[in-house]
């Protein structure tokens, strides 16, 4: 599938997290060739004719393939028949590197033609930006001259005509049209980056060419959009710069961002994090770091340098179980958070995070134990065989002394203390709330049940989630919202025949008498109670969530989403994209519980797509490569992220291009590529980008290049 070759290219010195591997190929030897060879083209240095390795910077041609015979045998199987003779007998010939580049481009385009989604994305990016996956763009002129001299029709399409480097996302002509087509084909095959690239362009057009910000929905109403349907009006932006190659509407932007968000959530929920841990996001601004000289004390939090290995080793030593007289729990909890969230450049390693959280829990650290317990509940950082729900329950009990009633009393005392004056507070003992992770965990174990240890009790689970929600925990908000929407309400083990005890006290609006009058056995779940018990002052019985359930759920999901909860954002996107109806048994006509909102759906799906592993890996790999001095590889990853609409990718790629890392392009092409990205970032509201674009206009840098080009054609 090409992954092995790709990892071999990066080498053993590059951490595993920095390897952005391709999807499995379905076109056989074509992609077995391209996965290894085109990756090597990406790392080609501008200072020489050979391609460099990211491991040791070695140069040469046959050395990189181990033995020349291995290279020749693989080449002969993969290249087309017309290219199977490397030494052309003609007056003009290409060097080994030029020949390799020509073959690489041929196979890249062939893979795209045969339907490989990643190859289609790469070709689309090259067409839209004018930047090929080569470090020496001047060799294209040699390839074209060679092809013309030998009448060779097998030369790649990308090299048959000059590839123009546009200076704006809205320009590009035929190149941009072909890119949009390839992005669409790639997105249809599930490529998240391609879907994001088109969603970004449709959203910009839908906003009338102003920005892609969704914080202010007024740009979607009246002038450009019908406020009720989100459809286009006759006042769609008419300026050519108002569109990035497509005439977008809110529904078209929604279609692409929804596909991207679903792809991200599928990967997260089926992966090791179970979507319970957000991918690490690096938001470094290289221009700001450069202007402040890299001094950590002068940098904002998002620009702080990576944590050094010596500091991590110090934390490990203090947090060790062998540390005398006992582990330093603050150090253990700190390093566990580094590994759990992937903070400050540390690789996200959930097994190591669990190790240090368990150390915290074993020594009565409530918050660390609560995190370890939740990891056991969801089997995060472990296999299902390694999961220990009994240990999780012990951690949860440790952080919730007194049970549900004890935690409620602590919250009441805390609120009461907050209303007193400072003098009165000094005389009283400080009130410590129950740990929010432990309370959320208690809700989960009562919702799911533990054989032989905890019986299922959805009513008690609801009370735990309500309490967790009240202290501002996003996971508690999400779980409570999902419970109101019917999560875990149809399990077989819910009936009274399996669970003889029932407690409906939490349902204050329902009476025990009405419950006893139900004709069917009452299930031990919130929605089953709602289904069997009539609403006050009516004989209607609900078959699902009511209007009030939807209202409460949306409110809680919105609060959780504001705290960065990806699953809450995804659920809100789904709800707003379709709307929701509430049904009653006595009325066949549904009641509108939630109105459809294209604008809000796009907002949440876009946020999910941007917060997934796809962009996270790109940006983190680029940042690591930048720190290692591999500026070209860093630029490649930033450029790929930039095409998806990533503001961080755009400003960092623009900065590197402006600093002279031009991937073999001419000065004029490099300038155009740089201002194209600065303009895109400026339209997203980035202040640094606005300043840079203003400088381009103020100092007339683009005009200087145009005058220089015209001077070449003036007679002496």
């Amino acid at each position: 599938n090409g992954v092995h070759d790709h990892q071999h290219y990066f080498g053993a010195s590059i951490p595993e997290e920095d390897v952005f591997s391709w999807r499995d190929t379905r076109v056989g030897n074509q992609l077995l060739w391209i996965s290894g060879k085109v990756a090597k083209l990406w790392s080609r240095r501008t200072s020489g004719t050979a391609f460099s390795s990211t491991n040791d910077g070695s140069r040469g041609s046959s050395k990189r393939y181990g033995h020349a015979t291995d290279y020749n045998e693989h080449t002969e199987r993969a290249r087309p028949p017309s290219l199977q003779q490397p030494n052309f007998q003609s007056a003009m010939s290409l060097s080994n590197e030029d020949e390799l580049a020509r073959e690489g481009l041929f196979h890249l385009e062939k893979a795209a033609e045969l339907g490989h989604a990643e190859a289609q994305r790469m070709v689309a990016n090259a067409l839209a930006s004018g930047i090929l996956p080569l470090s020496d763009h001047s060799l294209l002129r040699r390839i074209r001259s060679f092809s013309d001299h030998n009448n060779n029709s097998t030369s790649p399409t990308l090299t048959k005509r000059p590839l123009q480097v546009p200076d704006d996302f809205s320009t590009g002509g035929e190149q941009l049209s072909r890119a949009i087509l390839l992005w669409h084909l790639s997105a249809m095959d599930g490529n998240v980056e391609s879907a994001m690239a088109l969603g970004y362009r449709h959203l910009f057009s839908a906003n009338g060419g102003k920005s892609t910000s969704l914080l202010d929905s007024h740009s979607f109403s009246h002038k450009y959009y019908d406020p009720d349907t989100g459809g286009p009006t006759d006042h769609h932006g008419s300026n050519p710069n108002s569109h990035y190659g497509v005439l977008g509407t809110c529904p078209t932007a929604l279609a692409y961002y929804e596909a991207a968000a679903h792809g991200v959530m599928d990967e997260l929920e089926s992966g090791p994090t179970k979507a319970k841990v957000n991918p690490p996001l690096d938001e470094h601004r290289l221009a700001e770091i450069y202007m402040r000289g890299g001094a950590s004390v002068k940098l904002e939090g998002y620009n702080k340098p990576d944590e050094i290995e010596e500091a991590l080793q110090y934390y490990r030593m203090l947090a060790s179980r062998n540390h005398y007289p006992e582990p330093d729990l603050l150090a253990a909890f700190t390093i566990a958070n580094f590994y759990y969230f992937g903070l400050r450049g540390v690789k996200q390693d959930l097994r190591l995070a669990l190790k240090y959280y368990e150390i915290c829990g074993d020594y009565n650290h409530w918050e660390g134990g609560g995190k370890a317990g939740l990891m056991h509940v969801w089997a995060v950082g472990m296999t299902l065989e390694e999961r220990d729900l009994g240990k999780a329950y012990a951690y949860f009990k440790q952080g919730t002394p007194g049970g549900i009633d004890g935690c409620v009393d602590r919250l009441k005392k805390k609120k009461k203390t907050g209303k007193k004056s400072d003098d009165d507070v000094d005389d009283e003992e400080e009130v410590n709330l129950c740990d929010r992770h432990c309370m959320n965990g208690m809700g989960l174990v009562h919702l799911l049940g533990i054989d032989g240890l905890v019986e299922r009790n959805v009513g008690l689970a609801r009370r735990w989630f309500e309490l967790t929600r009240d202290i501002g925990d996003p996971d508690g908000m999400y779980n409570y919202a999902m419970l109101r929407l019917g999560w875990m309400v149809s399990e077989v083990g819910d009936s009274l025949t399996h669970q003889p005890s029932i407690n409906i006290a939490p349902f204050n609006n329902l009476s025990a008498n009405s419950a006893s009058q139900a004709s069917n056995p009452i299930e031990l779940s919130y929605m089953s109670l709602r289904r069997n018990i009539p609403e006050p002052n009516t004989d209607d019985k609900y078959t699902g969530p009511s209007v009030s359930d939807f209202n409460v759920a949306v409110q809680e999901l919105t609060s959780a989403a504001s705290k960065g909860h990806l699953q809450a954002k995804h659920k809100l996107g789904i709800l707003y994209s379709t709307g929701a109806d509430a049904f009653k048994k006595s009325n066949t006509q549904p009641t509108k519980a939630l109105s459809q909102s294209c604008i809000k759906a796009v907002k949440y799906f876009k946020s999910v797509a941007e917060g997934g592993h796809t962009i996270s890996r790109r940006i983190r790999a680029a940042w690591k490569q930048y720190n290692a001095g591999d500026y070209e590889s860093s630029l490649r990853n930033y450029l790929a992220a930039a095409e998806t609409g990533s503001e961080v990718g755009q400003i960092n790629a623009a900065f590197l291009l402006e600093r002279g890392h031009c991937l073999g392009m001419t000065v004029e092409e490099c300038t155009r590529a740089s201002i194209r990205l600065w303009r895109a970032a400026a339209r997203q509201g980035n202040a640094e980008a606005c300043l840079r674009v203003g400088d381009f206009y103020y100092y007339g840098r683009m005009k200087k290049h145009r005058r220089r080009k015209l001077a070449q054609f003036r007679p002496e």
Side-chain angles (χ1 to χ4, degrees), residues 155 365 396 493 499 564 567:
S155 182
H365 188 284
F396 297 150
Q499 302 287 354
Q567 285 184 303

Side-chain angles (χ1 to χ4, degrees), residues 422-436:
D422 294 337
D423 295 335
D424 295 334
V425 173
D426 292 339
D427 298 333
E428 295 185 9
E429 184 179 354
E430 183 181 358
V431 178
N432 293 320
L433 294 175
C434 294
D435 178 67
R436 60 189 180 94

Side-chain angles (χ1 to χ4, degrees), residues 400-411 434 467:
T400 55
I404 184 70
D405 295 329
C407 292
V408 170
D409 290 340
R410 286 171 178 265
L411 181 58
C434 294
L467 186 59

